[in-house]
Amino acid sequence: MDFYLQQLAIGLSVGMTYALIAIGFTLIFGVLNVVNFAHGEVYTIGAFAGLLVVTTFAPPLLAVLLAVLAVGAFVGVGLERLAFRPFRRFSDEASLKSRAMRESTLMSSLALSIIAREALEIAFGSRFQSVPVAAMINQPIALGPVTITNGDLIILGVAALMLIGLQYVLRHTQVGLSIRAVSNNPLGAKYVGVDVDRTIVWTFAVGSMLGAVAGVLVGFYYGAIFANMGFTPGVKAFVAMVMGGLSSIPGAVVCALLLGVCESLSTAFVSSVWSDMVAYGFLIVTLIFFPRGIFGGARERV
Amino acid sequence: MTLLQVQGATRRFGGLIAVDNVSMDVAAGEIVGVIGPNGAGKTTLFNLISGFTPLSGGEIRFDGARIDGEKTFAIARKGVGRTFQNLRIFPNMSLFDNVSVGAIGMLGAGPLSSLRRDTKVATEIAERTWTALERVDLAREAHTLAANLSYGKRKYLEIARALAMAPKLLILDEPAAGLNDSETHTLAAFIRDLHAGGMTVLLVEHNMALVMSICRRVVVLASGRKIADGAPDAVRADPLVLESYLGVEEEA
């Protein structure tokens, strides 16, 4: 029994890291209806930025997070400029919803993600960069039969804060209302005075800030940062987003947790090298049986 | 005073001339109807005015300044409100949030400042939103989702959203489309009321009875050209109009 409890705790903690990535991913999808394949690299860049800050200044974690938020916003704005805006030349409804539009930004964001990954590899090498022990967040905490780490609590706290903060921004601020309006009907928003281009830049800035923070937290949690680290979690976050119904942020978070727990418990039955199969299995099952996400018709957009 | 001045507006799509050298004025406080058979270029003309489609030739002035070449949202902020034939509401937002987007664009609080707090701008946004919702009699449903609204009420929601912008010119694109006779009647009374309250209205409509009953002046387009411009009675008697538009309808 203790074994399962421990696996459950590990699963929740892994799921929480997927959720961190999925939130930003889903936000961008919900507004633009395009998949941002570079989100995993934003996560990696966030981790490297955090590492650089820590090795240079060794500030407290909060300061690192603030620096990474700034880097994330910067990267998000650049990403939108390079990979998305050039394909938004035509603003009529037919081109906004066209497959060509979706596929071209899919390719351009994928291309940019490859460039970012290779550039990081050239700059830092392909080996793991280890995080200074003092900056790591993996001090064990015993909770009855289960051992967790302070990193689990920090990640849980940050994820909760991100969700609440995002809901606040979306419901109570000018930018949030504009983001929701653009997500609902970009042309309608334009005609009532919403600067759609600027709103999309904001969306990328916010989504990428969340992605970058996820990267630094997970990097400091596992203690290893490398150029390729964004790929697998990016795929998991993508699966969580699809399972959650594509544009529902709460749905994606719940599914990310579910995914983490299932992966972790699966190691009780099969070798842990197979645990990645759980995510792909879920993806296939979802697409076949729940094409609108496992929460079905109640689709809530951003 | 001339509020909107369209001069020689032309729009070509490849070889097709959708709007051909059209000139028209709308004075402040006027209510003008634009009619014409399908494909006459009415919607393109409106898209030119609201900056959605760039002009191929000519110019458009609003409130004394040229607006052609400006972006759609910037033209909206100058005071051009519009509604759509196929509605463009925000279905997954409450009615209140729908309408307040109109007010936000015009008033512009800081991007991250709270709209629910008691700041001056936030209060004004809320006030404008409530006034607009009350104007269309939807204040009681302010917190329901727009997706749950009936088709007829969605039209009024869209009008309320445009009113929250406090526009100088309100463009209504086929407001009566899809409404039955009694709904159309109520809508006519509503538009007349808006106009009586000082609103300048530009109306595109297929429903001739509606246009003739509420507009003091009617502009007729056919095949992208303006073929008549005058009082409803004069337009109705114009042989060119009869031939290209009204006559066809009577035969049909």
Side-chain angles (χ1 to χ4, degrees):
Chain A
M1 191 61 208
D2 285 357
F3 171 78
Y4 289 107
L5 275 178
Q6 181 66 52
Q7 290 304 110
L8 185 68
I10 293 173
L12 282 174
S13 122
V14 171
M16 203 57 84
T17 65
Y18 297 160
L20 281 177
I21 312 166
I23 295 171
F25 211 1
T26 311
L27 176 68
I28 291 170
F29 182 88
V31 173
L32 285 178
N33 247 314
V34 295
V35 177
N36 170 21
F37 262 120
H39 197 64
E41 272 56 45
V42 173
Y43 164 97
T44 312
I45 290 172
F48 273 100
L51 181 69
L52 285 180
V53 170
V54 156
T55 48
T56 328
F57 304 108
L61 183 63
L62 190 65
V64 177
L65 290 183
L66 289 176
V68 168
L69 277 175
V71 170
F74 184 76
V75 170
V77 171
L79 174 65
E80 196 272 340
R81 240 324 123 72
L82 292 173
F84 290 85
R85 177 161 307 185
F87 298 96
R88 257 199 340 271
R89 264 179 309 153
F90 304 103
S91 56
D92 59 294
E93 198 160 34
S95 10
L96 281 177
K97 287 188 173 164
S98 69
R99 278 183 56 188
M101 166 85 189
R102 263 180 288 151
E103 283 164 10
S104 54
T105 52
L106 197 137
M107 294 312 290
S108 62
S109 63
L110 184 66
L112 214 61
S113 83
I114 294 170
I115 293 170
R117 201 157 61 216
E118 296 300 321
L120 283 172
E121 211 164 299
I122 290 167
F124 294 92
S126 56
R127 299 235 311 275
F128 284 19
Q129 305 286 312
S130 43
V131 178
V133 178
M136 282 181 64
I137 44 175
N138 62 352
Q139 272 81 21
I141 301 171
L143 265 180
V146 179
T147 306
I148 60 169
T149 70
N150 65 339
D152 290 328
L153 296 179
I154 291 171
I155 289 176
L156 176 70
V158 171
L161 211 68
M162 267 161 55
L163 262 182
I164 295 167
L166 189 59
Q167 288 308 314
Y168 176 84
V169 167
L170 287 177
R171 299 197 181 277
H172 294 269
T173 67
Q174 179 189 344
V175 140
L177 248 71
S178 307
I179 289 176
R180 286 164 62 210
V182 171
S183 151
N184 269 264
N185 193 323
L187 287 189
K190 202 175 265 196
Y191 281 109
V192 287
V194 175
D195 186 341
V196 172
D197 283 330
R198 181 171 295 184
T199 303
I200 290 174
V201 171
W202 270 97
T203 311
F204 271 91
V206 172
S208 301
M209 282 159 88
L210 302 183
V213 165
V216 73
L217 284 177
V218 176
F220 284 15
Y221 179 73
Y222 290 119
I225 288 171
F226 52 103
N228 226 345
M229 67 183 280
F231 181 73
T232 311
V235 171
K236 304 292 170 64
F238 177 73
V239 173
M241 176 176 90
V242 173
M243 285 169 69
L246 283 175
S247 45
S248 157
I249 291 171
V253 168
V254 170
C255 292
L257 291 178
L258 189 70
L259 199 59
V261 168
C262 290
E263 277 184 12
S264 168
L265 288 180
S266 74
T267 57
F269 308 105
V270 294
S271 152
S272 62
V273 291
W274 288 94
S275 73
D276 278 353
M277 295 306 287
V278 173
Y280 301 113
F282 270 174
L283 181 61
I284 291 167
V285 169
T286 305
L287 289 176
I288 294 174
F289 297 106
F290 310 98
R292 304 184 65 189
I294 58 174
F295 299 117
R299 245 180 86 153
E300 184 200 332
R301 301 209 50 160
V302 170
Chain B
M1 192 199 86
T2 309
L3 182 63
L4 175 73
Q5 191 177 23
V6 179
Q7 244 166 21
T10 301
R11 173 67 207 188
R12 288 181 215 95
F13 294 106
L16 177 81
I17 304 181
V19 172
D20 188 1
N21 199 14
V22 170
S23 298
M24 64 178 285
D25 290 348
V26 178
E30 240 189 328
I31 177 163
V32 178
V34 176
I35 59 171
N38 281 328
K42 306 182 296 275
T43 301
T44 307
L45 179 63
F46 276 19
N47 285 344
L48 292 174
I49 294 171
S50 45
F52 185 66
T53 310
L55 283 166
S56 310
E59 64 174 65
I60 297 172
R61 286 170 178 276
F62 182 74
D63 214 7
R66 271 184 83 152
I67 56 167
D68 49 290
E70 299 243 20
K71 288 189 169 166
T72 303
F73 80 90
I75 292 174
R77 287 185 188 178
K78 283 187 164 51
V80 181
R82 86 172 266 192
T83 67
F84 301 87
Q85 180 182 2
N86 40 354
L87 303 174
R88 297 197 182 284
I89 56 167
F90 309 131
N92 299 307
M93 292 166 70
S94 71
L95 304 196
F96 186 88
D97 286 352
N98 259 276
V99 174
S100 62
V101 171
I104 288 169
M106 305 308 285
L107 294 170
L112 285 174
S113 65
S114 171
L115 295 168
R116 305 288 193 264
R117 212 88 61 60
D118 208 15
T119 59
K120 203 176 149 209
V121 179
T123 317
E124 172 139 25
I125 289 172
E127 258 170 31
R128 275 207 195 176
T129 305
W130 282 119
T131 312
L133 280 170
E134 271 156 24
R135 190 76 186 71
V136 299
D137 209 12
L138 285 173
R140 258 173 296 133
E141 293 157 88
H143 295 292
T144 52
L145 272 191
N148 298 334
L149 229 50
S150 70
Y151 181 74
K153 283 183 176 175
R154 286 181 192 202
K155 297 219 161 200
Y156 284 99
L157 174 64
E158 216 186 28
I159 294 175
R161 191 177 68 182
L163 289 178
M165 298 163 65
K168 291 176 185 148
L169 171 69
L170 181 63
I171 299 180
L172 301 172
D173 193 354
E174 307 242 357
L179 299 184
N180 65 29
D181 280 354
S182 90
E183 287 168 332
T184 305
H185 200 72
T186 316
L187 181 75
F190 179 82
I191 297 173
R192 225 177 271 132
D193 236 39
L194 271 183
H195 175 237
M199 181 65 72
T200 312
V201 181
L202 187 58
L203 175 80
V204 168
E205 186 50 67
H206 257 114
N207 186 321
M208 289 294 281
L210 180 69
V211 175
M212 295 299 183
S213 75
I214 61 179
C215 295
R216 306 283 170 78
R217 189 152 72 82
V218 177
V219 170
V220 188
L221 296 182
S223 312
R225 290 210 184 83
K226 183 168 100 170
I227 56 169
D229 185 345
D233 286 333
V235 165
R236 216 182 316 215
D238 191 309
L240 211 58
V241 176
L242 283 172
E243 182 195 336
S244 79
Y245 186 34
L246 299 177
V248 176
E249 190 171 75
E250 271 164 25
E251 277 165 29

